Amino acid sequence: MRPEPSSIEADPYPFAFDPAVTALVVVDMQRDFLLPGGFGALLGNDVSLLSKVIEPLTHVLAAARAAGMMVIHTREGHRPDLSDCPPSKLARGRLGTPIGSAGPNGRILVRGEAGHEIVEDLAPLPGEIVLDKPGKGAFYATDLELMLRNAQITSLVVTGVTTEVCVHTTIREANDRGFDCLVPGDCVGSYFPQFHDVGLRMIAAQGGIFGWVTTSLHLLTALGAKRPMLTTIQGA
Ligand code: TIU
Protein backbone atom coordinates (compact mmCIF):
# COMPACT_ATOMS: atom_id res chain seq x y z
CA MET A 1 0.00 0.00 0.00
CA ARG A 2 1.25 3.48 -0.86
CA PRO A 3 2.22 5.60 2.20
CA GLU A 4 0.25 8.78 2.83
CA PRO A 5 1.80 12.17 1.96
CA SER A 6 4.03 13.38 4.76
CA SER A 7 6.71 15.86 5.66
CA ILE A 8 10.39 14.80 5.60
CA GLU A 9 12.93 16.49 7.84
CA ALA A 10 15.38 18.17 5.49
CA ASP A 11 17.71 21.09 4.94
CA PRO A 12 16.74 23.96 4.56
CA TYR A 13 13.19 23.08 5.73
CA PRO A 14 10.82 20.07 5.70
CA PHE A 15 10.08 18.55 2.29
CA ALA A 16 6.43 17.94 1.35
CA PHE A 17 6.56 14.31 0.21
CA ASP A 18 3.86 12.48 -1.71
CA PRO A 19 5.05 9.12 -3.10
CA ALA A 20 2.24 9.18 -5.68
CA VAL A 21 3.79 12.15 -7.51
CA THR A 22 7.46 11.47 -6.71
CA ALA A 23 9.92 9.42 -8.77
CA LEU A 24 13.12 7.87 -7.46
CA VAL A 25 15.97 8.65 -9.85
CA VAL A 26 19.09 6.49 -9.47
CA VAL A 27 21.88 8.19 -11.38
CA ASP A 28 24.62 6.17 -13.10
CA MET A 29 25.26 3.43 -10.53
CA GLN A 30 27.28 1.68 -13.24
CA ARG A 31 30.29 -0.58 -13.05
CA ASP A 32 32.22 2.02 -15.11
CA PHE A 33 32.04 4.46 -12.18
CA LEU A 34 32.06 2.04 -9.24
CA LEU A 35 34.43 -0.79 -10.11
CA PRO A 36 38.17 -0.96 -10.75
CA GLY A 37 39.09 -0.82 -14.44
CA GLY A 38 36.20 1.44 -15.46
CA PHE A 39 35.94 5.06 -16.60
CA GLY A 40 36.17 6.47 -13.06
CA ALA A 41 39.20 4.41 -12.10
CA LEU A 42 40.99 5.12 -15.38
CA LEU A 43 40.57 8.85 -14.71
CA GLY A 44 42.70 8.24 -11.63
CA ASN A 45 39.88 8.18 -9.07
CA ASP A 46 39.55 5.99 -5.97
CA VAL A 47 36.36 4.10 -6.81
CA SER A 48 35.98 2.70 -3.29
CA LEU A 49 34.72 6.16 -2.25
CA LEU A 50 31.58 5.51 -4.29
CA SER A 51 30.78 1.98 -3.17
CA LYS A 52 29.57 3.09 0.27
CA VAL A 53 26.51 4.55 -1.46
CA ILE A 54 25.32 1.10 -2.57
CA GLU A 55 24.14 -0.17 0.83
CA PRO A 56 21.86 2.73 1.87
CA LEU A 57 20.61 2.99 -1.69
CA THR A 58 19.51 -0.66 -1.74
CA HIS A 59 17.20 0.13 1.20
CA VAL A 60 15.80 3.26 -0.42
CA LEU A 61 15.25 1.40 -3.69
CA ALA A 62 13.46 -1.45 -1.90
CA ALA A 63 11.25 0.96 0.05
CA ALA A 64 10.42 3.02 -3.06
CA ARG A 65 9.45 -0.16 -4.90
CA ALA A 66 7.31 -1.33 -1.97
CA ALA A 67 5.60 2.09 -1.93
CA GLY A 68 4.81 1.81 -5.66
CA MET A 69 6.92 4.82 -6.60
CA MET A 70 8.08 5.34 -10.15
CA VAL A 71 11.73 4.25 -10.38
CA ILE A 72 14.15 5.50 -13.05
CA HIS A 73 17.70 4.22 -13.47
CA THR A 74 20.04 6.29 -15.60
CA ARG A 75 23.23 5.22 -17.36
CA GLU A 76 25.84 7.50 -18.87
CA GLY A 77 27.22 6.13 -22.10
CA HIS A 78 27.37 6.26 -25.84
CA ARG A 79 26.46 4.39 -28.99
CA PRO A 80 29.16 1.95 -30.14
CA ASP A 81 30.01 4.22 -33.10
CA LEU A 82 30.35 7.18 -30.64
CA SER A 83 28.18 9.32 -32.95
CA ASP A 84 26.43 10.77 -29.87
CA CYS A 85 29.66 11.63 -28.05
CA PRO A 86 30.74 15.26 -28.52
CA PRO A 87 34.30 15.51 -29.88
CA SER A 88 35.12 17.78 -26.91
CA LYS A 89 34.16 15.01 -24.44
CA LEU A 90 36.14 12.46 -26.43
CA ALA A 91 39.21 14.71 -26.60
CA ARG A 92 39.32 15.15 -22.82
CA GLY A 93 40.07 11.43 -22.52
CA ARG A 94 43.65 12.11 -23.57
CA LEU A 95 44.66 12.33 -19.89
CA GLY A 96 43.35 8.83 -19.23
CA THR A 97 41.70 6.17 -21.34
CA PRO A 98 39.33 7.77 -23.87
CA ILE A 99 35.65 6.91 -24.12
CA GLY A 100 35.24 3.97 -26.50
CA SER A 101 38.69 2.51 -25.86
CA ALA A 102 39.10 -1.03 -24.57
CA GLY A 103 39.26 -1.55 -20.80
CA PRO A 104 39.05 -4.57 -18.50
CA ASN A 105 35.22 -4.26 -18.42
CA GLY A 106 34.83 -3.72 -22.17
CA ARG A 107 34.83 -0.46 -24.13
CA ILE A 108 34.71 2.54 -21.79
CA LEU A 109 31.25 4.14 -21.40
CA VAL A 110 29.81 2.31 -24.39
CA ARG A 111 26.28 0.90 -24.30
CA GLY A 112 26.09 -2.88 -24.29
CA GLU A 113 29.52 -3.32 -22.67
CA ALA A 114 29.89 -4.98 -19.24
CA GLY A 115 31.22 -1.78 -17.65
CA HIS A 116 28.17 0.17 -18.76
CA GLU A 117 25.79 -2.04 -16.75
CA ILE A 118 24.32 -1.06 -13.40
CA VAL A 119 25.93 -2.82 -10.42
CA GLU A 120 24.29 -6.07 -9.44
CA ASP A 121 22.93 -4.92 -6.03
CA LEU A 122 20.92 -2.16 -7.70
CA ALA A 123 19.91 -3.98 -10.89
CA PRO A 124 16.70 -2.61 -12.43
CA LEU A 125 13.58 -4.78 -12.20
CA PRO A 126 11.49 -5.52 -15.27
CA GLY A 127 9.15 -2.57 -15.81
CA GLU A 128 11.48 0.02 -14.33
CA ILE A 129 12.72 2.70 -16.67
CA VAL A 130 16.37 2.49 -17.71
CA LEU A 131 17.38 5.78 -19.29
CA ASP A 132 20.51 5.96 -21.43
CA LYS A 133 21.94 9.46 -21.48
CA PRO A 134 24.88 10.83 -23.46
CA GLY A 135 25.52 13.74 -21.10
CA LYS A 136 25.95 14.42 -17.41
CA GLY A 137 22.37 15.61 -16.89
CA ALA A 138 19.52 13.08 -17.18
CA PHE A 139 17.30 15.55 -19.08
CA TYR A 140 19.77 16.46 -21.83
CA ALA A 141 18.98 14.64 -25.10
CA THR A 142 16.60 12.15 -23.39
CA ASP A 143 12.84 11.65 -23.06
CA LEU A 144 12.93 11.87 -19.24
CA GLU A 145 10.84 15.04 -18.95
CA LEU A 146 8.16 13.59 -21.25
CA MET A 147 7.90 10.41 -19.15
CA LEU A 148 7.74 12.35 -15.87
CA ARG A 149 5.04 14.72 -17.18
CA ASN A 150 3.02 11.80 -18.57
CA ALA A 151 3.13 10.12 -15.16
CA GLN A 152 2.18 13.42 -13.45
CA ILE A 153 5.36 13.41 -11.41
CA THR A 154 6.18 16.73 -9.75
CA SER A 155 8.99 15.76 -7.34
CA LEU A 156 12.16 13.70 -7.59
CA VAL A 157 14.27 11.87 -5.04
CA VAL A 158 17.70 12.02 -6.68
CA THR A 159 20.39 9.48 -5.74
CA GLY A 160 23.52 7.99 -7.32
CA VAL A 161 26.90 9.21 -8.52
CA THR A 162 28.69 11.50 -8.64
CA THR A 163 27.40 14.21 -6.34
CA GLU A 164 28.96 17.20 -8.07
CA VAL A 165 28.81 15.92 -11.64
CA CYS A 166 25.83 13.88 -12.90
CA VAL A 167 23.72 14.20 -9.74
CA HIS A 168 24.17 17.98 -9.57
CA THR A 169 23.61 18.50 -13.29
CA THR A 170 20.42 16.42 -13.15
CA ILE A 171 19.11 18.34 -10.12
CA ARG A 172 19.82 21.69 -11.77
CA GLU A 173 18.05 20.58 -14.96
CA ALA A 174 15.08 19.26 -12.94
CA ASN A 175 14.88 22.40 -10.80
CA ASP A 176 14.71 24.64 -13.87
CA ARG A 177 11.87 22.48 -15.18
CA GLY A 178 9.86 22.96 -11.97
CA PHE A 179 10.49 19.62 -10.25
CA ASP A 180 11.15 19.67 -6.49
CA CYS A 181 14.27 17.60 -5.76
CA LEU A 182 15.07 15.82 -2.51
CA VAL A 183 18.55 14.36 -2.06
CA PRO A 184 19.34 11.78 0.65
CA GLY A 185 22.97 12.76 1.23
CA ASP A 186 24.16 9.23 2.10
CA CYS A 187 22.73 7.92 -1.19
CA VAL A 188 24.94 10.13 -3.37
CA GLY A 189 28.72 9.96 -3.57
CA SER A 190 31.81 11.53 -5.07
CA TYR A 191 35.45 10.62 -5.69
CA PHE A 192 36.20 13.90 -3.83
CA PRO A 193 34.78 14.05 -0.28
CA GLN A 194 35.13 17.84 -0.20
CA PHE A 195 33.17 18.22 -3.46
CA HIS A 196 30.49 15.92 -2.04
CA ASP A 197 30.11 18.00 1.12
CA VAL A 198 30.08 21.33 -0.68
CA GLY A 199 27.87 19.89 -3.42
CA LEU A 200 25.19 19.01 -0.87
CA ARG A 201 25.50 22.40 0.79
CA MET A 202 25.11 24.12 -2.58
CA ILE A 203 21.77 22.37 -3.16
CA ALA A 204 20.19 23.45 0.13
CA ALA A 205 21.84 26.90 0.46
CA GLN A 206 19.99 30.15 -0.19
CA GLY A 207 16.68 28.73 1.01
CA GLY A 208 16.99 25.58 -1.11
CA ILE A 209 18.25 27.12 -4.34
CA PHE A 210 18.22 23.74 -6.17
CA GLY A 211 16.38 21.51 -3.68
CA TRP A 212 16.37 19.81 -0.29
CA VAL A 213 18.91 17.53 1.44
CA THR A 214 17.92 14.78 3.86
CA THR A 215 19.14 11.32 4.97
CA SER A 216 18.03 7.87 3.88
CA LEU A 217 16.75 7.29 7.40
CA HIS A 218 14.29 10.21 7.22
CA LEU A 219 13.20 9.11 3.74
CA LEU A 220 12.71 5.48 4.81
CA THR A 221 10.61 6.60 7.76
CA ALA A 222 8.35 8.59 5.43
CA LEU A 223 8.11 5.56 3.16
CA GLY A 224 6.95 3.44 6.09
CA ALA A 225 9.94 1.13 5.72
CA LYS A 226 9.80 -1.82 8.08
CA ARG A 227 11.77 -1.74 11.34
CA PRO A 228 14.40 -4.32 10.24
CA MET A 229 15.47 -2.01 7.39
CA LEU A 230 15.93 0.92 9.76
CA THR A 231 17.67 -1.25 12.36
CA THR A 232 20.13 -2.45 9.75
CA ILE A 233 21.00 1.09 8.73
CA GLN A 234 21.25 2.46 12.26
CA GLY A 235 23.54 -0.40 13.17
CA ALA A 236 25.75 0.04 10.09
N1 TIU B 1 27.88 9.98 -13.63
C1 TIU B 1 28.81 10.93 -13.53
O1 TIU B 1 28.86 11.68 -12.55
N2 TIU B 1 29.76 11.00 -14.55
C2 TIU B 1 31.05 11.41 -14.35
O2 TIU B 1 31.84 11.47 -15.29
N3 TIU B 1 31.42 11.73 -13.07
C3 TIU B 1 32.67 12.06 -12.62
O3 TIU B 1 32.78 12.46 -11.46
N4 TIU B 1 33.72 11.88 -13.41
Side-chain angles (χ1 to χ4, degrees):
M1 215 179 63
R2 191 169 258 163
E4 292 296 310
S6 63
S7 176
I8 298 181
E9 198 178 309
D11 188 20
Y13 55 87
F15 181 81
F17 178 58
D18 180 356
V21 295
T22 306
L24 173 67
V25 182
V26 184
V27 176
D28 301 356
M29 290 298 286
Q30 296 162 258
R31 295 175 181 157
D32 261 335
F33 295 110
L34 290 152
L35 298 186
F39 181 69
L42 295 168
L43 283 172
N45 296 306
D46 174 4
V47 290
S48 70
L49 284 165
L50 300 198
S51 51
K52 62 181 176 197
V53 172
I54 296 175
E55 204 266 343
L57 192 43
T58 59
H59 298 286
V60 165
L61 183 57
R65 284 170 173 159
M69 281 174 62
M70 183 180 197
V71 176
I72 295 163
H73 306 261
T74 75
R75 300 187 298 198
E76 180 178 352
H78 297 279
R79 294 169 183 266
D81 64 5
L82 304 183
S83 56
D84 60 350
C85 183
S88 58
K89 186 176 180 181
L90 208 50
R92 261 168 286 150
R94 66 176 175 244
L95 295 180
T97 309
I99 292 166
S101 61
N105 305 324
R107 293 179 67 206
I108 304 294
L109 282 194
V110 169
R111 295 177 194 158
E113 301 288 337
H116 183 259
E117 290 303 318
I118 290 166
V119 294
E120 215 174 312
D121 288 346
L122 298 168
L125 290 181
E128 290 175 351
I129 293 166
V130 178
L131 185 85
D132 283 323
K133 62 184 182 65
K136 303 304 182 194
F139 288 85
Y140 174 68
T142 73
D143 52 6
L144 177 58
E145 183 171 2
L146 181 61
M147 290 189 286
L148 295 174
R149 302 270 184 227
N150 286 345
Q152 301 186 330
I153 294 293
T154 57
S155 297
L156 306 178
V157 171
V158 185
T159 63
V161 297
T162 63
T163 311
E164 79 281 9
V165 183
C166 290
V167 170
H168 239 259
T169 307
T170 297
I171 290 169
R172 289 165 187 245
E173 289 180 329
N175 179 61
D176 278 349
R177 286 165 173 78
F179 295 98
D180 286 331
C181 294
L182 177 69
V183 182
D186 53 332
C187 292
V188 298
S190 169
Y191 301 118
F192 303 90
Q194 69 274 38
F195 292 174
H196 172 81
D197 293 342
V198 173
L200 291 180
R201 283 167 51 200
M202 287 167 72
I203 292 165
Q206 304 185 66
I209 198 76
F210 300 131
W212 287 255
V213 176
T214 189
T215 64
S216 63
L217 202 56
H218 290 315
L219 177 59
L220 289 170
T221 302
L223 283 168
K226 291 188 176 59
R227 281 321 292 177
M229 275 187 193
L230 297 179
T231 309
T232 308
I233 288 175
Q234 276 164 341

